[in-house]
Structure formats: structure tokens, C-alpha cells
Amino acid sequence: MIATFREYMAKSPEHARFLPFAIWVGITALAMGGGNMMFYSYVAKVLVGAWIVWEMRRYIPEVRWTVSWQAIVVGIVVFFAWVGLDPFYPKNTLLMKDTPESIWNPFARYGDASVIAWTLIVIRIFGMTVLVPPIEEAFYRSLVYRYIVKYDFTKVALNHVDGVALVLCALLFGFMHFQWLPGIMCGMAYQWLVFRRGHLGDAMTAHAITNFLLGVYVVWKGGEAWKFF
């Protein structure tokens, strides 16, 4: 299996950026059944995702973490937009469920003092913060955006600005989320960070900060905030 994965990743630049995302989304589909599977599929996803991100380094050179004050500011601003805009627009119920059974809340299933619940939460925040950014940024900002500009996307520089590709990529990113409106906004903001530096590092950092703050906010607030997980 490992050899097959590496062969597929090495086959083409498209495969290297698409396959990690496809595997991540595929394991996510296991959670649709609800119950314990909702939680333990995420554990499996994190284990597989950690290996995937490790392997990605050799095939996608632009996936390298960097930190700048702009990335930090964007990450924080997107977090506040994600939470602050929530009451003011309809959610993406076409693709996402909006029922108590679909909300990822281990406290509701295992109890507030449960070691299992807290372990699952730590694993979830780790996945959101460390694994989601490189996987999603490689797919959306490196592959999808540039592929819209040109079929041979590797000939498009990461700092190449194209208005149509920016909007379409941000729309796709946004509507893959229950909170689609801030999703579109953060898609554009992360793309701007890529334009600035010509690599994915700052966008990954901003993405990680947003997700980490959302995770902390959910655990702190509880109640309806669990929908942000």
C-alpha cells in the first residue's frame, strides 16, 4: 500500500496534490454513519493524515511552513469572521447535515469528564491545526487555483494573480464548508498570502491559526459552538 501510494504521488504533480485530499475526504465520509464511527473515524483520519503529510514533503516543494505577521493577522481575522458572521446568513445544508446527531461533540456521548472525550478533542484539534492546512492548501491553492488558470498548472507561478481563478477557487473552498460565507472569505485571504510570498507556507500558518482558535473556542463555549468543529 505504501509503495502504491508513493508511485501514484510520483506519477504526476496533479496526483501528488489531489490524492492526499481525496484520502482525507474519503475517510471523512466514514463519519456519516454517526455514533462511535463519527469519532473514531477521525482518529483513523489523523493517523493516516500524519503519514500522508510526511510523505507530501518529497513531492510538493511549496508545502513548507513559514510564519509572518500577515499570516498571523489573517488567521486571527478569519477566526473572528467565522464566528462573528454566523447568525447572519443561511448555512450550507445542501451538502452538510444540520442535526444534533451530525454534530461532532464527544462530551455529549462520553460525558464532560471522560478521558475518551478529552483525548478525542485533543486529536481533533491536532488534526485541524497540523494536518488540514498542508493537505487543503496543496489541493486548493496549489492545484485547483492554478489548474483553472492553465491545464499545465505547474507552469503557473504561485504568485500569479487571476481574478476568475481566485473567485472560483474561493467559491469551491467555501461551499465545501457548512459555514460557506466565511469559507469563501478565508479562501480569498489565504490565496492573497500565497500571492504575496509565492509559496504555501504563510497560508498554511494562517489556516492553522484559524482552525486552532476555532477548536479552542468550541471547547470553551460549548453549546451551539460545537457546530464549528
Side-chain angles (χ1 to χ4, degrees):
M1 178 179 176
I2 292 176
T4 302
F5 175 83
R6 288 173 177 168
E7 287 173 6
Y8 194 89
M9 291 284 283
K11 190 172 182 180
S12 73
E14 291 92 338
H15 291 168
R17 290 156 180 81
F18 172 76
L19 183 59
F21 180 79
I23 293 173
W24 187 262
V25 172
I27 300 176
T28 301
L30 295 175
M32 298 300 181
N36 289 332
M37 183 59 72
M38 176 189 298
F39 304 107
Y40 293 117
S41 65
Y42 200 89
V43 176
K45 186 162 70 169
V46 165
L47 292 173
V48 174
W51 169 65
I52 286 173
V53 170
W54 178 263
E55 292 290 334
M56 285 171 64
R57 299 171 309 134
R58 72 177 73 186
Y59 303 106
I60 313 175
E62 65 269 23
V63 176
R64 297 290 184 272
W65 293 89
T66 58
V67 179
S68 69
W69 69 265
Q70 292 94 340
I72 294 170
V73 169
V74 167
I76 294 171
V77 169
V78 169
F79 160 72
F80 280 107
W82 207 283
V83 174
L85 290 173
D86 190 69
F88 304 110
Y89 67 97
K91 304 305 181 292
N92 181 13
T93 55
L94 181 64
L95 298 178
M96 316 290 173
K97 291 182 180 179
D98 186 21
T99 63
E101 296 78 18
S102 65
I103 294 176
W104 203 94
N105 179 2
F107 286 154
R109 188 165 189 86
Y110 301 106
D112 292 350
S114 168
V115 174
I116 293 176
W118 279 105
T119 301
L120 288 168
I121 286 169
V122 170
I123 291 172
R124 176 89 179 198
I125 293 177
F126 172 81
M128 293 167 58
T129 305
V130 178
L131 305 180
V132 168
I135 291 172
E136 291 197 349
E137 294 307 310
F139 176 69
Y140 287 104
R141 251 60 70 182
S142 181
L143 174 59
V144 173
Y145 172 82
R146 294 192 291 167
Y147 200 85
I148 294 171
V149 176
K150 189 173 184 179
Y151 177 76
D152 188 359
F153 76 98
T154 57
K155 297 223 169 54
V156 180
L158 284 163
N159 59 3
H160 174 82
V161 179
D162 184 285
V164 173
L166 172 64
V167 172
L168 291 178
C169 186
L171 287 172
L172 177 62
F173 183 79
F175 282 104
M176 286 293 288
H177 293 80
F178 185 62
Q179 294 86 10
W180 59 271
L181 181 58
I184 293 172
M185 294 171 61
C186 81
M188 290 188 172
Y190 298 161
Q191 195 76 57
W192 173 75
L193 290 171
V194 177
F195 292 156
R196 284 189 65 256
R197 302 291 294 274
H199 57 66
L200 302 179
D202 278 12
M204 288 162 53
T205 296
H207 201 153
I209 290 171
T210 299
N211 286 0
F212 177 76
L213 292 176
L214 281 170
V216 172
Y217 176 80
V218 166
V219 177
W220 172 55
K221 289 291 288 184
E224 291 189 2
W226 285 101
K227 64 188 172 184
F228 294 120
F229 236 175

